[in-house]
Amino acid sequence: MSDVSLYLFGAPRVEQSSANVPISRRKALALLAYLAASERTHSRDNLAALLWPEWDTTSARTALRRVLVTANKALGVGVLLAEQKRLGLAPEAGLWVDVVRFRAVLAQSRSHHHTHLHTCNDCLGWLSEAADLYTGDFLAGFGLDDSPDFDDWTTFEAESLRRDAAEVLEKLTEIHATGRDFSTAIAVARRWLSLDPLHEAAHRMLMRLYAWAGDQAAALRQYRECLELLQRELGVPPQSETTELFEQVKVGQVVVQGLPIAPLVPTPAQVNMPQTVESFVRLPHLTDFMGRRVQLATLGALLPDPSQRLITVLGMGGMGKTSLAVVAAGRATDRFPDGVAFVPLAPLSQPSAIVSAIADVLGYTFPPDSRPPLQQLTGYLSSRRLLLVLDNFEHLLDGAEIVAALLEGAPDVTCLVTSREPLQLRAETIFALEGMEISDEEGLRLFAQSARRVRSDYTPQPEEKAAIEEICRLVDGMPLGIVLAAAWIGLLSPQEIVIEIRQGLSVL
């Protein structure tokens, strides 16, 4: 069955040997899409309730069996894995799914270790393939009038995949721009902008690309387009960074001797943190960082202390170590004149890769000399006052001596580490993180915010408040536990989620 393909980007369709396979029942196609995109098996009862929510259990299961007959006739026996109580797609059938392939090649790029992204041919190939696969929004124009939960799931998946596509196109734009292939970079950047026309970073990149390509008029038009969109849609002016770039374009300062004045890779003078968490830091209504006010204040007080140059935020998975570290680092940027650099260590498999990972984030290229890379990097950092956020260190503990060497050779560098295990270094200060000291109101708010990711119209009802408070207690105030519990709101009520959690946390 390796010649069967399921396309879920854009209008969904099935092909076999490059010929269209008609699916007579709309819900048969919906079932295939749900099983393929989720990449796991599901209970027959849950699938029946998802696709026929207003029917009784017996009638819904009967309808599900009819849909299975339709799918098997269209694809042939063997594609669907039909067990007594569960349904899925048979891995051995070799069904090719564009969304699954998109996620796979993006994951390869994210986990690949390289000195610089713009010189990595492997990542260029993966990212280019991902961009080609994204031909439109997930299940564009496809829905089920009588299944609101399926439509909510479709919306959630579409938004998630659109964010992934934006990441792909942004990286491809930078790769082509660094290689001075401005025409290709402009084409890719326009695709990136089309995913979110209000995204100012994409507008700024296009302005730079046009200026670097020598088309000042186009760069100025791009600014005016951005200005008009923001005023019309949001009633706000552009960000100061966008306006400053506009002024540079007007006087021709974006290009100096044919080269961009702004580097395309981060430098220590910049703040480099995860975009989603950085945006979280800046939201005025979340400045209290719900449930972590005391810990945030304590950690924030430690960071500028020159005697506390190695701080390890220690806690089990799901406690919110990364979020706490990034928020604290984001508030300490004014104390580190050479910047804050976030270094994700989860993709690394060997401690020896830590040095290159740090250099990659800083935009530092090792010169061709005989000194070991660690010695070169330490020399580069020796005169800089910098905060390094080393995230997810627990699987690289044999590399703790690398951190010790950096701290010894760079006396003004501070390391903020997140880990499930201590580094066991003499200079280490342990900042233990346990369950959130979360009030009922904060738990309710976090649950509601998370639930709206799967049900955009969700508002907790008065009769649900007690159940949500119980959910927060059952997961010991663990932020990830609350978020994962809220993800079930598309299928279960808060009261039903409580029942599931009491039977075991595996439901999360």
Side-chain angles (χ1 to χ4, degrees), residues 235-259:
V236 299
Q239 297 171 356
S240 59
E241 184 179 352
T242 307
T243 304
E244 290 169 5
L245 179 59
F246 168 67
E247 296 297 332
Q248 292 175 9
V249 172
K250 282 199 303 183
V251 297
Q253 290 183 352
V254 180
V255 176
V256 176
Q257 296 179 348
L259 296 175

Side-chain angles (χ1 to χ4, degrees), residues 336-356:
F336 295 93
D338 290 309
V340 177
F342 178 87
V343 185
L345 301 180
L348 307 186
S349 58
Q350 297 294 331
S352 58
I354 295 174
V355 174
S356 295

Side-chain angles (χ1 to χ4, degrees), residues 21-36 40-48 51-52 59-90:
V21 177
I23 305 290
S24 58
R25 292 178 182 268
R26 191 173 183 84
K27 289 194 176 179
L29 189 54
L31 175 65
L32 282 175
Y34 188 74
L35 294 177
R40 61 186 181 89
T41 64
H42 297 268
S43 74
R44 288 176 179 258
D45 287 343
N46 286 344
L47 291 171
L51 298 176
W52 294 274
S59 299
R61 291 200 64 166
T62 300
L64 180 61
R65 285 194 294 271
R66 294 195 191 102
V67 162
L68 290 176
V69 172
T70 300
N72 279 324
K73 284 183 179 179
L75 303 179
V77 177
V79 173
L80 286 170
L81 179 64
E83 299 174 345
Q84 183 178 2
K85 294 185 178 181
R86 303 188 69 81
L87 292 176
L89 296 177

Side-chain angles (χ1 to χ4, degrees), residues 169-170 172-192 202 205-206 209-210 212 264:
L169 295 171
E170 180 180 6
L172 278 177
T173 299
E174 293 187 358
I175 290 173
H176 292 302
T178 306
R180 303 185 63 80
D181 184 359
F182 296 130
S183 60
T184 302
I186 288 170
V188 176
R190 296 216 69 88
R191 282 191 63 193
W192 172 28
M205 177 56 83
L206 273 168
L209 289 170
Y210 284 129
W212 293 340
L264 292 173

Side-chain angles (χ1 to χ4, degrees), residues 3 152 190 237 347 374 376 457 461 479:
D3 58 345
D152 288 343
R190 296 216 69 88
L374 176 58
Q376 293 184 45
D457 62 341
Q461 300 304 305

